[in-house]
Amino acid sequence: MVTARLILDPHFAVGAINRRIFGSFVEHLGRCVYDGIYEPGHSTADAEGFRGDVIDLVKELGTTTIRYPGGNFVSGFKWEDSVGPREDRPRRLDLAWHSTETNEIGLHEFSSWLAKVDSELMLAINLGTRGVEEALDLVEYTNIRSGSTLSDQRIANGQVEPFGVTMWCLGNEMDGPWQLGHRSAEDYGKIASQTAKALRQLDERLELVVCGSSSAQMPTFGSWERTVLQHTYDDVDYISCHAYYEERGGDLTSFLASGVNMDHFIESVVATADSVKAELRSSKQINISFDEWNVWYIDRYQQVDRITDIEEWPVAPRLLEDVYSVADAVVFGSLLISLLKHADRVQSASLAQLVNVIAPIMTEPGGDSWRQTTFFPFAVTSRLARGTVLEVRLESDTHETKEYGTVATVDAVATVDAEAGTAAVFLVNRSETEEATVTIDVAALGDLGLLEASTLADDDVYAANTLADQNRVGLSPNTSAVIVDGVVTITLPAVSWSAVSLG
């Protein structure tokens, strides 16, 4: 039996939770947009062609911000293609995913959809094949009230009020040789700085995200961040992090400990940013936008899904439609724990992606929509994690992993909402074989009672929800959870994610 003990104290706070940490990501990739959020012929479609069943699921998921329209897609994207009368919009070849983009859904339509799901728009700018002038044009079209050619064009296209987009990404994964317009850190840093300075002349209120490394495994990781920030430190507000995890070679033990890697990734980027801050003698703090994260079986994509026929340019092909297991959801939940543990610096995050493409929500054309296993940790954490993240005092049994050495078998994070008088604890048991008994000392938080406790687990850690069996896996009440004299005791099954709510 694994044992762990947590002590919660409101005096030891990490930082306030920025609700943007529960953001997601919609890219014009595969069936994320077409057949995903948009399917005019579907029985639940509204007057604009958006699937009502998907809208309901996105609202249940609790997303706050959506990064759009890419991703790799944005590095070849001409934003002008996506506005104006639909019948006049061009069909373009998307080199990133070897597909055809119809531009049927663009800035206006997507903004309308965002209003239906109560999420904020976060726009990515093409700094791959385009530059400063096109970025300025997009911000003018999007944010300037009226009186210029582009703002008046927006009004003529049906949007009288500005879209009022606050967060902007200065390109996407520009360190990656797969990216259109790939540049060195030196060259990217220069154009990102030029673009940021120009955008601030147009609207000084913008919050700007500069590209960090596309993963911690890139050979330039660390040096890329340093060089880019040396050019842009005074011009931007955030540096991006991207990370995807998958089980490789049957090494479930290491996979379950993926959060250890995310912790190290975040702390390394923070250390680099703070080093540049000291070097520049700046009083400003650069925070992190972790604007791509998930479990993604990228090896499977490379071997099976990738379109290789040079003559084939399909519209909305089935790409990256990973089916997620219980083990995947437990890792997913542990990544959310890592993001929250660094709430003082992670001020925005985007689950990649939202529908069909490595997504918590799946749809069938003309048919059903359903929740993947990863849906549940996100929805519950978004609902319960409010107020401030606490620095949990955690003592746990440990075990060995091939990739990460000795790791804590139980990981956890806690949040407290002083105004509402509530608290929440999120936990994972990384053991493949043993239950974990966890005691949580919450006496310092006052007189709290147990509101709810739920767990995601299954005897088959590879069980999943599919079109044929949409409700195979879900949350179950954790009836073992009790609170006595300010101490919560809960039993966690092997390979499980759990949430406890107190109030």
Side-chain angles (χ1 to χ4, degrees):
M1 172 72 74
V2 172
T3 61
R5 181 170 183 262
L6 285 69
I7 302 176
L8 277 54
D9 191 321
H11 295 95
F12 298 103
V14 174
I17 299 169
N18 189 323
R19 293 293 299 167
R20 284 176 174 165
I21 204 170
F22 299 110
S24 191
F25 176 31
V26 166
E27 181 172 0
H28 282 251
L29 191 179
R31 297 193 309 120
C32 188
V33 175
Y34 307 109
D35 287 349
I37 70 174
Y38 178 75
E39 189 182 347
H42 195 268
S43 61
T44 69
D46 63 16
E48 295 181 90
F50 295 117
R51 287 184 59 149
D53 57 344
V54 173
I55 288 172
D56 290 342
L57 285 174
V58 172
K59 292 175 72 173
E60 180 186 341
L61 187 66
T63 57
T64 54
T65 305
I66 309 290
R67 180 171 174 252
Y68 176 84
N72 294 351
F73 171 82
V74 81
S75 290
F77 178 56
K78 297 178 180 179
W79 70 265
E80 302 92 335
D81 291 348
S82 74
V83 300
R86 279 179 169 170
E87 61 271 18
D88 296 337
R89 296 180 192 176
R91 293 168 66 94
R92 301 288 190 188
L93 300 183
D94 169 27
L95 303 186
W97 302 106
H98 206 86
S99 306
T100 296
E101 173 55 49
T102 67
N103 286 300
E104 190 173 354
I105 294 297
L107 178 59
H108 289 254
E109 293 82 12
F110 191 71
S111 295
S112 177
W113 181 80
L114 284 172
K116 300 172 193 283
V117 299
D118 301 323
S119 290
E120 174 190 1
L121 178 58
M122 176 182 178
L123 272 179
I125 291 169
N126 179 357
L127 285 185
T129 59
R130 312 193 90 184
V132 178
E133 182 178 1
E134 292 87 356
L136 282 169
D137 286 349
L138 176 56
V139 174
E140 180 182 329
Y141 182 92
T142 304
N143 279 11
I144 300 303
R145 183 166 296 279
S146 63
S148 70
T149 297
L150 289 171
S151 61
D152 289 346
Q153 181 184 340
R154 181 198 70 242
I155 294 170
N157 287 335
Q159 180 70 26
V160 175
E161 293 298 316
F163 291 108
V165 178
T166 302
M167 284 195 76
W168 296 79
C169 303
L170 301 174
N172 175 75
E173 294 187 352
M174 298 309 299
D175 65 321
W178 58 85
Q179 203 74 212
L180 287 173
H182 162 64
R183 292 175 170 86
S184 67
E186 186 78 19
D187 289 342
Y188 170 68
K190 289 177 181 177
I191 192 172
S193 176
Q194 291 166 2
T195 305
K197 285 182 170 69
L199 295 183
R200 292 209 190 279
Q201 285 183 255
L202 189 62
D203 186 346
E204 63 182 11
R205 299 165 296 178
L206 302 183
E207 297 177 45
L208 304 178
V209 184
V210 74
C211 290
S213 296
S214 50
S215 81
Q217 285 68 52
M218 293 297 290
T220 55
F221 172 61
S223 63
W224 173 275
E225 280 77 4
R226 175 173 295 280
T227 300
V228 167
L229 286 174
Q230 284 170 336
H231 282 285
T232 63
Y233 198 92
D234 291 331
D235 305 318
V236 301
D237 305 286
Y238 308 89
I239 187 165
S240 72
C241 291
H242 291 183
Y244 295 100
Y245 299 92
E246 64 179 304
E247 181 182 343
R248 287 190 167 95
D251 187 1
L252 178 60
T253 305
S254 294
F255 178 51
L256 291 170
S258 296
V260 172
N261 179 268
M262 181 181 267
D263 289 337
H264 179 69
F265 187 7
I266 293 169
E267 290 155 14
S268 297
V269 174
V270 166
T272 301
D274 288 349
S275 174
V276 175
K277 174 182 178 179
E279 177 186 331
L280 298 177
R281 295 175 172 81
S282 175
S283 59
K284 177 181 179 180
Q285 177 173 287
I286 295 292
N287 289 318
I288 288 176
S289 175
F290 214 120
D291 49 41
E292 289 189 31
W293 69 272
N294 203 348
V295 174
W296 176 17
Y297 286 87
I298 190 170
D299 290 350
R300 185 181 304 162
Y301 162 70
Q302 297 287 354
Q303 296 168 12
V304 177
D305 291 341
R306 194 171 183 178
I307 299 170
T308 57
D309 185 348
I310 194 65
E311 299 297 329
E312 185 181 5
W313 296 86
V315 174
R318 289 182 181 264
L319 291 176
L320 280 59
E321 297 193 9
D322 284 355
V323 176
Y324 290 123
S325 68
V326 169
D328 295 327
V330 171
V331 171
F332 182 100
S334 75
L335 299 179
L336 278 168
I337 288 173
S338 292
L339 292 171
L340 285 170
K341 284 196 295 187
H342 298 90
D344 56 331
R345 299 303 288 269
V346 178
Q347 294 289 294
S348 178
S350 303
L351 163 63
Q353 292 185 17
L354 186 58
V355 183
N356 288 329
V357 175
I358 53 173
I361 298 169
M362 297 298 293
T363 72
E364 187 65 15
D368 292 342
S369 59
W370 64 96
R371 303 165 187 83
Q372 292 235 59
T373 59
T374 54
F375 183 98
F376 301 103
F378 192 102
V380 174
T381 306
S382 178
R383 176 170 58 88
L384 296 181
R386 304 278 172 164
T388 301
V389 176
L390 300 183
E391 184 180 341
V392 173
R393 300 294 197 265
L394 171 64
E395 298 174 0
S396 170
D397 290 345
T398 61
H399 63 273
E400 295 300 314
T401 68
K402 180 179 178 181
E403 291 294 323
Y404 309 120
T406 303
V407 303
T409 305
V410 172
D411 197 16
V413 72
T415 64
V416 61
D417 186 341
E419 185 175 335
T422 60
V425 185
F426 307 95
L427 311 105
V428 288
N429 178 8
R430 295 165 170 159
S431 172
E432 296 175 58
T433 57
E434 296 185 67
E435 290 183 340
T437 298
V438 183
T439 58
I440 309 168
D441 187 339
V442 298
L445 300 182
D447 186 17
L448 296 177
L450 185 65
L451 298 179
E452 64 177 276
S454 57
T455 293
L456 189 147
D458 197 276
D459 290 339
D460 178 3
V461 297
Y462 295 109
N465 294 339
T466 63
L467 175 62
D469 194 357
Q470 298 169 17
N471 299 302
R472 168 66 178 82
V473 178
L475 290 175
S476 299
N478 193 318
T479 56
S480 76
V482 295
I483 182 168
V484 179
D485 296 331
V487 176
V488 177
T489 303
I490 185 170
T491 299
L492 310 179
V495 189
S496 65
W497 173 92
S498 293
V500 177
S501 175
L502 305 160

